[in-house]
DNA sequence: ATGCGGACCTGTTAGC
DNA sequence: TGCTAACAGGTCCGCA
């Protein structure tokens, strides 16, 4: 579901619970990503009796930290995951797999119909975690180095869209913003990575950051069912210019092209064949 | 080593 | 109205 701007938005909406004490934990008992069962004991040890001290974001991952604890809780929302604050008496959300009971009758609920998400305990340095350790630079917190990306791309024949979706290349790009950034940089999504010039890579790095920042300003996209931790929705879908716009005319002024859809890396990809040409 | 396709899940929507 | 097929914001694994 969420790409970097949505995850960052969730992170920000969790700030009201910083300082709150976790009093208990309820889980669904269902397995999440990779069929892995939820580590109830580990989560209890990490969180129960402690106060939330911080929420960090690394690409599309969130890390929940607690006062006086060395363990952190890693959360990934997958495609359909949500992390929301609620009151104890609020109606239950369907598909809630982890619910942290907090002081003042509050709850932090993780729900995820498709169960592609992830909630697990991380001990010690998160950079040593197999997924987190391999993450590439985060466009918002670290910035992107076009020269380094260009050098890396020269060694790869994959489509440039596949390249920027690779979380070890750039952390946080997802399927929507990959199309948006490539459109903005005027690069055909199917172009082999090693055929992207340095000039174009500079444009792409800037475009990736720009679409992320703009999405964040609009509170994350709400293409389907995205909601923030407080239950409010984002309105970014109005600002997407190519994603899910197959058959519409190209939004670029003076371009007579029509947005097309094709499958790259098994995912819908939207582009204008007129402005995004070799 | 790299790159691709399929698998993992459920819900929603478009089309008949 | 009801059924079916296609599709959905992500990641990982196995095989070429």
């Amino acid at each position: 579901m969420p790409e970097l701007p949505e995850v960052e938005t969730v992170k920000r909406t969790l700030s009201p619970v910083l300082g709150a004490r976790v009093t208990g934990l309820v889980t669904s008992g269902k397995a999440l990503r990779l069929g892995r069962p939820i580590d109830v004991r580990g989560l209890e040890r990490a969180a129960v009796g402690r106060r939330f001290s911080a929420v960090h974001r690394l690409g599309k991952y969130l890390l929940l930290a607690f006062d006086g604890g060395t363990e952190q809780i890693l959360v990934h929302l997958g495609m359909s995951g949500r992390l929301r604050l609620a009151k104890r008496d609020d109606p239950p959300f369907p598909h809630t797999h982890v619910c942290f009971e907090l002081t003042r009758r509050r709850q932090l609920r993780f729900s995820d119909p498709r169960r592609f998400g992830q909630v697990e305990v991380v001990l010690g340095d998160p950079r040593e975690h197999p997924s987190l350790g391999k993450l590439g630079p985060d466009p918002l917190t670290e910035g992107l180095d076009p020269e380094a990306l260009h050098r890396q791309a020269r060694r790869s024949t994959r489509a440039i869209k596949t390249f920027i979706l690779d979380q070890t290349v750039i952390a946080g790009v997802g399927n929507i913003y990959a199309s948006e950034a490539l459109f903005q940089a005027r690069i055909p999504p199917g172009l082999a990575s090693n055929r992207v010039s340095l000039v174009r890579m500079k444009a792409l790095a800037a475009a990736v950051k720009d679409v992320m920042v703009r999405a964040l300003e609009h509170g994350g996209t709400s293409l389907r069912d995205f909601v923030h931790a407080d239950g409010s929705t984002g309105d970014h879908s109005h600002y997407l210019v190519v994603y899910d716009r197959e058959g519409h005319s190209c939004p670029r002024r003076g371009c007579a092209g029509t947005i097309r859809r094709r499958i790259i890396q098994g995912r819908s990809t939207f582009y204008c064949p007129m402005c995004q040409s070799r």
Side-chain angles (χ1 to χ4, degrees):
Chain A
M1 172 229 261
E3 306 184 27
L4 185 154
E6 290 72 35
V7 179
E8 177 64 23
T9 302
V10 170
K11 176 196 153 180
R12 293 181 183 185
T13 50
L14 291 181
S15 60
V17 285
L18 293 182
R21 187 180 299 280
V22 180
T23 58
L25 187 68
V26 181
T27 60
S28 69
K30 296 226 180 163
L32 298 177
R33 181 185 299 181
L34 302 181
R36 259 186 249 161
I38 296 167
D39 174 13
V40 184
R41 285 288 155 72
L43 292 176
E44 283 175 347
R45 202 164 355 103
V48 175
R50 301 185 191 280
R51 293 177 188 279
F52 269 118
S53 60
V55 184
H56 307 285
R57 183 188 58 75
L58 297 163
K60 300 174 196 170
Y61 291 88
L62 289 173
L63 269 174
L64 312 180
F66 301 88
D67 273 345
T70 53
E71 296 138 327
Q72 296 182 284
I73 295 179
L74 179 66
V75 177
H76 194 293
L77 301 177
M79 293 273 259
S80 56
R82 296 175 178 185
L83 202 53
R84 284 177 285 182
L85 299 178
K87 305 296 275 182
R88 196 168 305 165
D89 301 324
D90 289 346
F93 305 149
H95 306 289
T96 296
H97 301 296
V98 181
C99 177
F100 297 93
E101 297 283 350
L102 307 174
T103 45
R104 292 170 40 199
R105 307 187 64 77
R106 289 174 296 179
Q107 295 180 328
L108 178 61
R109 303 177 183 179
F110 172 84
S111 60
D112 185 5
R114 294 177 75 177
R115 288 188 273 128
F116 289 171
Q118 182 177 6
V119 178
E120 67 173 73
V121 177
V122 175
L123 298 112
D125 185 355
R127 283 279 162 192
E128 286 172 24
H129 183 278
S131 300
L132 300 177
K134 288 185 294 191
L135 287 178
D138 185 296
L140 290 190
T141 59
E142 297 168 272
L144 302 176
D145 176 354
E147 266 123 38
L149 287 171
H150 180 67
R151 280 194 299 276
Q152 198 176 350
R154 271 201 319 233
R155 292 185 265 113
S156 171
T157 60
R158 306 182 274 182
I160 186 65
K161 188 212 179 191
T162 305
F163 182 74
I164 62 171
L165 275 176
D166 184 339
Q167 301 299 295
T168 71
V169 172
I170 303 172
V173 178
N175 198 45
I176 291 179
Y177 299 118
S179 281
E180 295 292 322
L182 287 162
F183 173 78
Q184 188 168 317
R186 304 188 64 162
I187 300 170
L191 185 64
S193 301
N194 59 6
R195 297 182 58 188
V196 175
S197 67
L198 178 57
V199 169
R200 279 185 140 177
M201 194 60 88
K202 286 180 180 170
L204 182 54
V208 165
K209 183 160 185 187
D210 186 67
V211 296
M212 298 284 181
V213 168
R214 288 211 329 265
L216 193 52
E217 283 169 0
H218 292 288
T221 189
S222 110
L223 186 66
R224 252 157 230 289
D225 53 1
F226 179 71
V227 290
H228 307 301
D230 63 4
S232 63
T233 61
D235 67 349
H236 182 67
S237 62
H238 308 293
Y239 302 91
L240 301 177
V241 297
V242 288
Y243 187 83
D244 209 16
R245 296 250 193 280
E246 183 184 21
H248 287 62
S249 55
C250 176
R252 191 180 301 282
R253 202 156 45 83
C255 177
T258 300
I259 302 305
R260 291 240 276 269
R261 169 181 181 263
R262 71 176 269 208
I263 304 297
I264 296 177
Q265 212 201 10
R267 324 281 302 276
S268 285
T269 309
F270 300 88
Y271 65 104
C272 171
M274 303 268 289
C275 0
Q276 292 167 268
S277 64
R278 283 147 217 269

